[in-house]
Amino acid sequence: MSTFAGTGALLRLAWRRDRWIIVTCVLVLAATAYGSMAATISLYANPADAAAGARVMADNPSLTALYGPLPALTAEGIGVLKTVMMGSLFTAFLAFAIVRRHTRTEEEEGRFELVAGGVVGRRAALASAVLLAVLTVMATGALSALSLLPTGVGATGSVALGAVEVVAGLVMTGITAVAVQLTSTTRGAGGIALAALGLAFVVRALGDASTGRGQNLVYASFLGWAEQVSPFGANRLWWLLPAVAVTAALLVVADLLLHRRDLGSGLWAARPGPARATARLGSPLGLAWRLQRTSLLGWTIGYAVLGLVVGSVASSVDQMASSPGVADMLRKMSGGQGSLVDVFFGAELRFLAIGAAAYGIATVLRLRSEESSGRAEVVLATKVSRLRWMAGHAVIAAVGALWLLAVAGVTAGLAAGGSTSTGIGDLLPAALATAPAVLVCVALALVLFGLLPRWSSLAWGLLAGFVLLGEFGALLKLPDWALGASPFDHLGSLPGGDANATGILALVGVAAAVGVVAAAAFRRRDLAT
């Protein structure tokens, strides 16, 4: 029997299980690329205004460290500035999630052991996961490139943007393929792969922020390679070649490691835990905190960095939009009020609120993984009730999301306080004012887990829908009732304007009601259904 026997069948199975999530993620990434370019082109009436704004962006070291250097001093260069780095990161994360889910997760939960009892070769699971990830990455790059063509920009630059996402996604596929061979747990493999992604981002940021020989650091990071493609600038499509070569080398390493470990184990032996648990693990809340604390720490560091960058960029906002027409257009697109700096902060804080909602959803979905793995059944066999177990994770999700918003508000206020009139006193309340919309997203994830556990991952689709409504609803001139379907549309205009007290109270009521429905549904259904 060939070691690749069953690869096609496993690939079809993986696609069947994840097709809706993959399609949604790919479409969201492509739509984001289109929306960013279309909005930027509509902002600038002429090339001179675009060049003036681009020069200010190019001279801002914080912006360069976060997003990379501006590809060109044009509207097209501005339009892809965020998409290059954010698209690279999200495509890489999507590739990571696919490979880990269909390799290490399947082994840890025991499903692959059943599958391996059939006509399935040793390499089949890894090969099918890698193939699905590569096809997804290629589709993301192709659709992102095609999405830019209706905006009237050049085809070469559009293809280069697609190449950016392909470079990042391919290398991350190889990194994850190696990571899943090293440890016996899904969390361990995720920690290794995401640490590599985080290190690549930091090395790339240090290189972009350095001068002289320090700039060469970007070549030590695969995210730096993606950035060096420079869409609508140099258009260096040849960076695909080293990305393909490194990916192939990583896959060879992953294959060698695969044949040096047993099924269900990792190359590194798992450490035994302590003989006795601490008192803090004696409650569902303590257990949930123990499971989620590392994740929250990582998110906190990320939000602190983002807050500092957002605050430091604010001083240049007026110069970036020096034309009155551009300033008016920004206010119309974001719905913000007050000064242009306030409008900028309002838009960025809503973006960070979406990230906090993503943290909350990921935390809630840990309930499903605990249930499907059988660990929830062990906990619930004790005197712990279903409601207390569910509430422990829900509290960590809600409080953790609020904490992230507070971190963003404080750090942005600290960074902006010395250069603008907006400080912590303005940004902390503005950040926390987005919390009701975040809590609605958390509650929706809970109700999906309670009512339709097998479809609980649709919470990501709902969040993607809210993002699309916020980003492109006004651009597409959707009616108010359609825009109002997003909870982020009912928050008001802080800072600089007024909070929508009615909308905020309504969102809190919706979150509470949906949470009650989720708890009632979970109490009445069977486990692992």
Side-chain angles (χ1 to χ4, degrees):
M1 180 179 70
S2 169
T3 55
F4 289 101
T7 298
L10 289 180
L11 177 60
R12 291 191 295 273
L13 175 62
W15 167 250
R16 179 177 176 81
R17 292 176 60 193
D18 288 351
R19 61 188 184 277
W20 296 117
I21 296 176
I22 290 174
V23 168
T24 300
C25 291
V26 170
L27 290 178
V28 167
L29 286 169
T32 301
Y34 165 78
S36 178
M37 182 62 75
T40 302
I41 289 176
S42 66
L43 278 178
Y44 296 102
N46 54 69
D49 287 343
R55 289 190 188 95
V56 176
M57 294 182 185
D59 293 338
N60 190 304
S62 298
L63 203 64
T64 301
L66 182 60
Y67 296 118
L70 199 67
L73 300 180
T74 60
E76 290 85 354
I78 298 173
V80 296
L81 177 61
K82 284 188 176 183
T83 310
V84 166
M85 193 48 55
M86 293 298 103
S88 297
L89 285 172
F90 287 126
T91 304
F93 187 84
L94 180 58
F96 149 76
I98 292 171
V99 174
R100 185 181 68 158
R101 171 173 164 81
H102 295 290
T103 52
R104 177 51 59 194
T105 302
E106 292 297 289
E107 288 191 38
E108 184 180 9
E109 296 184 356
R111 286 191 292 266
F112 184 66
E113 188 174 3
L114 296 175
V115 174
V119 185
V120 175
R122 187 75 171 95
R123 293 185 170 104
L126 180 61
S128 62
V130 167
L131 281 173
L132 182 59
V134 168
L135 291 172
T136 301
V137 167
M138 299 296 289
T140 301
L143 286 180
S144 294
L146 290 173
S147 72
L148 297 187
L149 297 180
T151 65
V153 299
T156 304
S158 301
V159 172
L161 178 63
V164 166
E165 297 175 333
V166 171
V167 167
L170 286 181
V171 178
M172 193 62 187
T173 298
I175 290 173
T176 310
V178 172
V180 297
Q181 312 305 324
L182 298 177
T183 71
S184 59
T185 65
T186 300
R187 292 183 67 192
I192 294 170
L194 293 180
L197 180 61
L199 180 62
F201 182 85
V202 171
V203 170
R204 191 275 317 159
L206 289 174
D208 285 331
S210 301
T211 57
R213 293 184 178 180
Q215 293 178 325
N216 293 329
L217 279 173
V218 296
Y219 302 115
S221 164
F222 69 92
L223 293 179
W225 301 356
E227 164 192 291
Q228 288 299 308
V229 174
S230 189
F232 298 99
N235 293 321
R236 305 183 188 98
L237 296 175
W238 57 264
W239 274 105
L240 284 167
L241 298 178
V244 171
V246 169
T247 303
L250 288 169
L251 292 178
V252 169
V253 172
D255 182 68
L256 293 173
L257 297 178
L258 174 67
H259 288 83
R260 284 165 173 76
R261 68 175 181 85
D262 293 330
L263 182 65
S265 66
L267 201 66
W268 296 342
R271 293 185 304 169
R276 292 182 176 275
T278 63
R280 287 174 294 180
L281 291 178
S283 68
L285 181 60
L287 176 60
W289 168 247
R290 176 65 181 82
L291 294 173
Q292 303 289 352
R293 64 184 183 183
T294 304
S295 172
L296 182 57
L297 175 61
W299 279 84
T300 299
I301 294 172
Y303 262 61
V305 172
L306 286 173
L308 291 172
V309 171
V310 167
S312 62
V313 170
S315 60
S316 304
V317 169
D318 287 323
Q319 295 172 303
M320 293 179 194
S322 55
S323 168
V326 173
D328 291 340
M329 181 66 74
L330 281 172
R331 289 190 176 92
K332 291 178 182 178
M333 290 178 63
S334 65
Q337 298 179 13
S339 68
L340 199 56
V341 172
D342 289 332
V343 172
F344 167 77
F345 275 125
E348 294 300 319
L349 289 176
R350 293 200 182 198
F351 172 77
L352 292 172
I354 292 170
Y359 163 80
I361 290 173
T363 302
V364 167
L365 294 184
R366 182 62 186 263
L367 287 165
R368 178 57 184 166
S369 65
E370 291 292 298
E371 180 185 11
S372 59
S373 66
R375 291 187 290 268
E377 189 174 1
V378 175
V379 175
L380 295 175
T382 66
K383 62 180 181 180
V384 175
S385 67
R386 289 192 178 199
L387 184 58
R388 288 182 62 206
W389 178 72
M390 185 184 196
H393 288 268
V395 167
I396 298 298
V399 175
L402 295 178
W403 165 253
L404 294 178
L405 293 174
V407 168
V410 170
T411 53
L414 286 172
S419 56
T420 70
S421 59
T422 306
I424 296 177
D426 303 297
L427 296 180
L428 180 57
L432 293 178
T434 63
V438 174
L439 294 179
V440 168
C441 295
V442 172
L444 289 172
L446 279 171
V447 80
L448 283 171
F449 168 73
L451 286 173
L452 302 167
R454 292 183 179 179
W455 297 91
S456 54
S457 57
L458 284 178
W460 293 116
L462 292 175
L463 181 62
F466 298 152
V467 172
L468 292 176
L469 284 174
E471 291 292 324
F472 311 122
L475 192 65
L476 299 175
K477 299 180 180 180
L478 295 179
D480 290 341
W481 63 265
L483 297 175
S486 170
F488 297 95
D489 191 55
H490 303 278
L491 298 174
S493 302
L494 290 177
D498 297 318
N500 182 359
T502 303
I504 288 175
L505 290 175
L507 290 175
V508 171
V510 169
V514 173
V516 170
V517 173
F522 180 56
R523 291 181 63 187
R524 286 168 172 77
R525 71 168 175 84
D526 294 333
L527 285 179
T529 58

